[in-house]
Amino acid sequence: MNYDVIIIGGGPVGMMLAGELALAEVKICILEKLEETTPYSRALSIHPRTLEILDLRDIKTELLKIGKPLPTGHFAGLETRLDFTVIDSSSNYSLFIAQSETEKILERRARELGAEIRRGTEVTSISLNSEYVEVTVTGTEGEMTLTAAYVVGADGAGSMVRKQANIPFNGTDATLTAVQGDVVFKRPPATSVVSSFNENGMIMIVPVTKELHRVVFIDPDRKSIPKDTPVTLEELRSGMLRVLGDDYGISNPYWMTRFGNATRQADRYREGRLFLAGDAAHIHFPAGGQGMNVGLQEAMNLGWKLAAQVKGWAPDGLLDSYHEERFPVNSALLRNTRVQTLLFGTDFSSTTIHLRRMIADLLEYPEANYHLASQIAAVDVRYDVLNTVSAHPLNGRRLAEIKLRKGNGDLLSSYELFREGKYVLLSLGNDPIVESIIRRLPIQHFTYVSATLVKPAIDWNNVHTAMIRPDGYIAWAISDQESELEQCIEEGIKSISKK
């Protein structure tokens, strides 16, 4: 076989997944038809949970050198912003950064870790059998067939992998289209963000760079225009004049496109040796800047599981848990983007205007604001776990960063423990029994750390020992009051490995 895993699609999701697999020394290859990274900004926001998982791998620091942290997000462009600063996270903000920059950083990491990236390569067919997958491609070297144990389709809404696997893409076609453009303003607006909704349409404006602004416009009279109809500068200018009364001297369009609210989700994310991630698995109206974020979170979820399978230590059902965990998360995502679409531009009547004002008023209440902010930030995601080890409130939850002190007095962040992409067994009980259990169990794919909390953390004060997954979710935690402590810890360690 040529590779352990072939990833089709070299956008941010494919590159993130490649980095995760290469970190585990899996032999992987990315096939991407574009010769180089797209120069267009596309997705502009990296939300809190995505920043956390990037921080686990020490990628966030590099992104912060380029991006701009913003304390708030939005829901359907409502006047009341979502407050990310109240989230229990060391990344309690959204990072404003062009997708093209994010892609470059993720690609560089994947290459440095040993991933093979074949650009200018188009996939023409995929053949699946019980032993391996054959992928036929054409490129600079002509036509050839590559083989791998597994193939992941990160190849967008029209995914060939999904089609070859005969996986239904259930949902609805577009009922409206919007336009956006990255343009130059001769007279930029006084505020950094402009958002307006009235009977003439909806417009949002945000700065992309010092020179460029992103304009998003939904026109009540042109929302049925087909998505592939070219956008003109005059379309944006006339919309701004009607909605805002000013075009800010719009000129020099760098990139313009039309997009719709087609909403679909793959019936399953796995078919034998084939997997789907990102837009290949789900598409939706790009409301709240969530699309790339959930794709990166999927790559993190799938990466360590595929690596475990390739390396031979995956427990039964681990690969199936990818669909089981991510499908419900994305079902909730599609529900919230449908609601946002309704508020964004389905109807520009006075009723919708009043509804938007009412919801904006409700978001002034901290509890309501936090509820939606947690959804957009994806910090509310919790996975079902087996409670055969211990029924602790931390089980299945994400690991918010905690500060630790080791026995020698050294201080460290819990996130620093995940640089190698392994499980982390964290003992806070200063109990020699944990080390004795580890010595008699021949399991190597976790990092053991004994430490104490520098300061109290939510739900951590009674924790004796916890096992945290490579993607930063808590597999199990055991309290120091557990009656059968030794047995629970031993069973917990065994649960992460093939029996």
Side-chain angles (χ1 to χ4, degrees):
M1 240 174 327
N2 300 106
Y3 304 98
D4 296 319
V5 180
I6 289 175
I7 300 169
I8 301 175
V13 176
M15 292 299 176
M16 180 72 188
L17 178 58
E20 287 299 287
L21 291 168
L23 182 64
E25 299 182 345
V26 172
K27 187 178 181 182
I28 74 111
C29 175
I30 290 184
L31 305 176
E32 170 55 53
K33 62 183 178 182
L34 294 180
E35 295 283 355
E36 56 187 28
T37 303
T38 176
Y40 305 123
S41 54
R42 298 188 183 277
L44 290 173
S45 297
I46 304 180
H47 290 323
R49 180 54 190 160
T50 311
L51 288 170
E52 288 180 345
I53 65 171
L54 294 168
D55 201 5
L56 294 176
R57 301 295 189 263
D58 202 23
I59 305 171
K60 187 179 87 167
T61 303
E62 193 168 357
L63 292 164
L64 283 171
K65 295 176 184 177
I66 302 172
K68 177 183 179 181
L70 299 176
T72 62
H74 76 87
F75 189 86
L78 295 171
E79 291 180 3
T80 306
R81 302 281 292 178
L82 300 179
D83 184 5
F84 290 149
T85 66
V86 298
I87 294 172
D88 176 28
S89 173
S90 54
S91 299
N92 57 349
Y93 52 86
S94 182
L95 189 66
F96 194 84
I97 182 172
Q99 177 179 321
S100 54
E101 297 297 332
T102 303
E103 282 188 28
K104 289 174 185 176
I105 289 171
L106 293 175
E107 179 172 352
R108 184 161 60 248
R109 173 180 180 254
R111 288 186 186 276
E112 289 172 352
L113 289 169
E116 181 179 338
I117 300 173
R118 295 178 178 231
R119 286 193 171 274
T121 302
E122 187 166 2
V123 177
T124 56
S125 70
I126 301 167
S127 177
L128 172 68
N129 63 47
S130 62
E131 301 296 325
Y132 57 88
V133 186
E134 288 186 347
V135 181
T136 302
V137 302
T138 58
T140 54
E141 301 176 35
E143 183 176 279
M144 66 178 65
T145 297
L146 306 173
T147 58
Y150 299 96
V151 166
V152 180
D155 50 344
S159 171
M160 173 178 283
V161 176
R162 188 186 66 242
K163 293 172 182 176
Q164 292 283 313
N166 293 315
I167 297 175
F169 204 32
N170 303 319
T172 56
D173 293 330
T175 58
L176 69 84
T177 57
V179 297
Q180 69 181 27
D182 291 350
V183 300
V184 173
F185 287 146
K186 296 175 182 176
R187 297 175 284 100
T191 58
S192 60
V193 176
V194 175
S195 181
S196 184
F197 184 102
N198 56 43
E199 65 277 5
N200 294 314
M202 187 288 302
I203 279 185
M204 290 184 67
I205 300 174
V206 295
V208 177
T209 65
K210 291 181 180 179
E211 295 80 23
L212 295 177
H213 280 74
R214 165 76 54 84
V215 179
V216 179
F217 174 43
I218 301 178
D219 186 340
D221 298 326
R222 293 177 59 82
K223 63 183 184 180
S224 297
I225 300 295
K227 191 176 73 169
D228 56 358
T229 303
V231 180
T232 67
L233 185 63
E234 183 55 34
E235 188 173 0
L236 290 172
R237 176 185 287 110
S238 64
M240 292 176 64
L241 288 172
R242 279 184 283 129
V243 177
L244 303 173
D246 194 341
D247 67 2
Y248 300 119
I250 187 173
S251 65
N252 300 94
Y254 178 69
W255 174 61
M256 298 188 295
T257 189
R258 198 179 306 273
F259 60 93
N261 68 326
T263 302
R264 295 186 176 277
Q265 182 167 208
D267 182 68
R268 54 192 181 277
Y269 291 3
R270 179 189 184 187
E271 179 63 35
R273 296 179 175 275
L274 303 180
F275 294 83
L276 303 176
D279 287 352
H282 45 79
I283 58 171
H284 55 86
F285 195 66
Q290 300 170 91
M292 182 184 72
N293 285 273
V294 296
L296 293 176
Q297 291 158 32
E298 284 158 19
M300 190 75 146
N301 186 292
L302 179 59
W304 70 271
K305 294 174 180 178
L306 263 179
Q309 187 70 27
V310 169
K311 294 299 182 180
W313 59 262
D316 292 343
L318 185 63
L319 284 184
D320 288 333
S321 74
Y322 169 62
H323 169 87
E324 292 164 0
E325 291 184 346
R326 293 307 303 178
F327 188 88
V329 171
N330 292 322
S331 296
L333 164 70
L334 300 191
R335 287 194 294 272
N336 93 47
T337 55
R338 281 190 171 106
V339 171
Q340 290 190 74
T341 304
L342 176 68
L343 293 170
F344 257 129
T346 303
D347 179 17
F348 290 85
S349 68
S350 59
T351 301
T352 302
I353 293 172
H354 292 317
L355 177 62
R356 288 176 60 87
R357 288 174 182 167
M358 179 181 292
I359 298 176
D361 288 343
L362 288 173
L363 289 179
E364 294 288 350
Y365 291 91
E367 296 83 0
N369 197 298
Y370 180 81
H371 179 73
L372 286 185
S374 296
Q375 284 189 21
I376 300 298
V379 296
D380 65 339
V381 172
R382 184 169 186 166
Y383 297 134
D384 291 334
V385 296
L386 294 176
N387 284 328
T388 53
V389 177
S390 174
H392 195 281
L394 283 174
N395 290 358
R397 282 170 41 181
R398 64 180 246 283
L399 172 68
E401 185 179 31
I402 53 178
K403 299 299 181 181
L404 303 169
R405 179 178 284 108
K406 298 179 75 172
N408 62 4
D410 289 348
L411 299 177
L412 74 157
S413 158
S414 58
Y415 283 6
E416 294 176 46
L417 305 174
F418 293 86
R419 301 297 190 243
E420 296 180 358
K422 295 182 177 181
Y423 273 95
V424 170
L425 181 67
L426 176 61
S427 176
L428 300 177
N430 192 26
D431 191 340
I433 195 173
V434 181
E435 290 193 29
S436 68
I437 294 171
I438 293 171
R439 282 195 296 269
R440 67 173 179 260
L441 293 178
I443 298 173
Q444 304 297 322
H445 43 270
F446 65 82
T447 299
Y448 170 64
V449 177
S450 178
T452 57
L453 295 173
V454 173
K455 61 180 180 179
I458 297 172
D459 290 326
W460 279 92
N461 293 331
N462 74 339
V463 173
H464 181 283
T465 305
M467 182 71 81
I468 306 150
R469 300 180 352 173
D471 57 354
Y473 285 88
I474 298 161
W476 50 262
I478 299 171
S479 73
D480 50 19
Q481 289 88 36
E482 177 62 53
S483 59
E484 299 180 348
L485 188 63
E486 183 174 358
Q487 180 181 346
C488 285
I489 295 173
E490 183 165 342
E491 289 303 312
I493 294 174
K494 289 179 179 178
S495 71
I496 69 167
S497 187
K498 187 174 184 178
K499 293 182 173 59

